Amino acid sequence: MKRDNFGSKLGVVAAAAGSAIGLGNIWKFPYITGVNGGAAFILVYLLCIFLIGIPVMLSEFALGRKNQVNAVETFKKLKPNSKWHLAGYLSVLTAFIILSFYSMIAGWVFSYILRSITGSFNSIPVEKLSEHFTTLISNPWEPLAFTLLVLVITAIVVFSGIQSGIEKFSKIVMPLLVVLILILMVRSFTLQGAYKGIEFLFKPDFSQLKLKGVLEALGHSFYTLSLGMAIILTYGSYIKKDVNLVSLSIQVALADTLIALMAGMVIFPAVFAYGLEPTYGPGLIFVTLPAVFKSMPFGNFFEFLFFILIAIAAITSTVSLMEAVVAFVSEKFKLTRGKSTVIILVLLYLLAIPSILSLGPLAGFKIGGKVFFDAMDFITSNIFLPIGGIVVCIFVGWIWGADKAVEEITSDGVYNFKFRYIYSILVRYIAPIAILFIFLYSLGIIKI
Ligand code: PHE
């Protein structure tokens, strides 16, 4: 079976940036910045993106492009008769589990789009917004329906293939995402008192930054670039030799960072302008922002744009997660793309259901003291992802060899790669040690 490829360089950037830019940028980045004191946290985060994120991304792209197969086969091809391919299985499994609950959160976003259309927030007093959100996510019917919708839209894009599905879709919706975020930024900046939000984002106060914040920045830099779970590797396997992987990685990382910062510039000026708290946490966009939009002229309209923006960001990420799994299943079991997409869609939904119910009727069922959704999130984000990251670094740095990776990164010497020595050191030593550190910390083995 001939493998599909990305057709244009722009398409590759749009698809990879689409994967990277997601709920992590618009939902998570602003609230962890809020909780960790703002600008100082952002500085550390930027360092992590450059020192850890970009080298690992380059390594994954190189692995993928060199072998032109799915994650499991990649390891088998480079190191036959070894156990390294188990890392491939782990990363596909991670993508699968993450997608099962990521699509639930994306489903909440669709619920909010619906509410902004019907204007149903208008009749809810500000102090009841938090309760409204809790009721929405715990009453399972609506989340069950919207999670399915998210998965079906994702499956349609994946089913349509790399060039006419993922690439085409990303090339249309990513520019739209940029336009929407720019409109919202202008709106936020022109609110009275907006400057306090900008100050919060850009004036560092290091006294607010704790070591916990540093580790969170490191963990997030990894997650936001979609690393450690075979996504970038799988996309790499559809990239042609004439793409400069260094520029590609830098462009994707910059786009991702820029959108995260812009999301912050949409959210914080508005939060400060209306005298709300920046430290609300995970409910920031679901509780604090509807409060902002309520007080704003044409609030419903801007609310609609905002949730459409998040929906676009989320779907281009769910597409990449599903693609990593579909690529593996279709190649492993020699199934057509259509069949494997449908099978995975069904299995994913089956795994999403307990996550959805765990916020309502199944709240009493706990795994290690956590409800099902939290348990899935914990296992993937805190255990599987760091393991996946460390394995990629060790495999590329020591087993395949950093020099071989550099050969692939430069397209066999066609492109210049000035930082090759720094890259080797980062990927062999600094990145795996740093990731190991977050890993031990999140398991409570290192205490700070
Ligand atoms: N990078 C995406 C985000 O920031 C999340 C994601 C993680 C997507 C892993 C795909 C794979 O939201």
Side-chain angles (χ1 to χ4, degrees), residues 19-25 102 223-226 229 231 317 320-321:
S19 169
I21 297 167
L23 293 170
N25 302 60
Y102 198 92
Y223 178 81
T224 190
L225 294 179
S226 305
M229 59 181 103
I231 308 274
S317 298
S320 70
L321 284 160

Side-chain angles (χ1 to χ4, degrees), residues 16-28 94-95 98 102 220-229 231-232 256 313-314 316-322 385:
S19 169
I21 297 167
L23 293 170
N25 302 60
I26 303 175
W27 169 62
K28 193 162 182 197
T94 311
I98 289 191
Y102 198 92
H220 186 65
S221 65
F222 217 71
Y223 178 81
T224 190
L225 294 179
S226 305
L227 300 171
M229 59 181 103
I231 308 274
I232 294 298
D256 185 80
T316 45
S317 298
T318 53
V319 162
S320 70
L321 284 160
M322 195 183 274
L385 261 188

Side-chain angles (χ1 to χ4, degrees), residues 113-297:
I113 295 180
L114 189 70
R115 281 168 179 64
S116 65
I117 297 174
T118 57
S120 54
F121 283 132
N122 300 351
S123 56
I124 303 170
V126 167
E127 61 286 358
K128 286 266 184 294
L129 282 170
S130 157
E131 198 183 307
H132 181 80
F133 175 58
T134 320
T135 314
L136 161 75
I137 64 176
S138 59
N139 173 5
W141 293 111
E142 194 176 332
L144 280 171
F146 279 115
T147 304
L148 183 62
L149 178 72
V150 168
L151 287 174
V152 169
I153 299 175
T154 307
I156 292 173
V157 178
V158 170
F159 169 76
S160 309
I162 304 302
Q163 227 177 85
S164 37
I166 299 179
E167 179 169 356
K168 208 161 157 197
F169 180 71
S170 312
K171 268 163 105 175
I172 298 170
V173 298
M174 291 311 282
L176 184 63
L177 177 136
V178 175
V179 172
L180 287 179
I181 204 163
L182 283 172
I183 298 177
L184 288 161
M185 246 170 84
V186 171
R187 171 63 279 199
S188 231
F189 272 34
T190 48
L191 290 169
Q192 229 179 25
Y195 71 93
K196 279 191 246 143
I198 303 294
E199 210 174 74
F200 176 76
L201 269 179
F202 293 111
K203 203 166 141 208
D205 171 6
F206 282 96
S207 68
Q208 290 292 316
L209 186 70
K210 312 272 169 335
L211 196 55
K212 176 176 158 292
V214 174
L215 290 176
E216 207 160 346
L218 185 54
H220 186 65
S221 65
F222 217 71
Y223 178 81
T224 190
L225 294 179
S226 305
L227 300 171
M229 59 181 103
I231 308 274
I232 294 298
L233 190 159
T234 307
Y235 275 12
S237 74
Y238 305 123
I239 295 178
K240 294 185 194 141
K241 273 282 191 218
D242 65 347
V243 171
N244 182 344
L245 294 184
V246 179
S247 333
L248 172 65
S249 303
I250 293 177
Q251 281 159 3
V252 172
L254 282 182
D256 185 80
T257 306
L258 213 62
I259 296 289
L261 290 175
M262 286 163 91
M265 288 190 265
V266 169
I267 292 171
F268 291 117
V271 166
F272 278 90
Y274 288 101
L276 297 164
E277 281 302 315
T279 49
Y280 192 86
L284 188 64
I285 66 165
F286 293 111
V287 177
T288 312
L289 282 190
V292 166
F293 290 121
K294 277 173 88 68
S295 343
M296 202 182 258

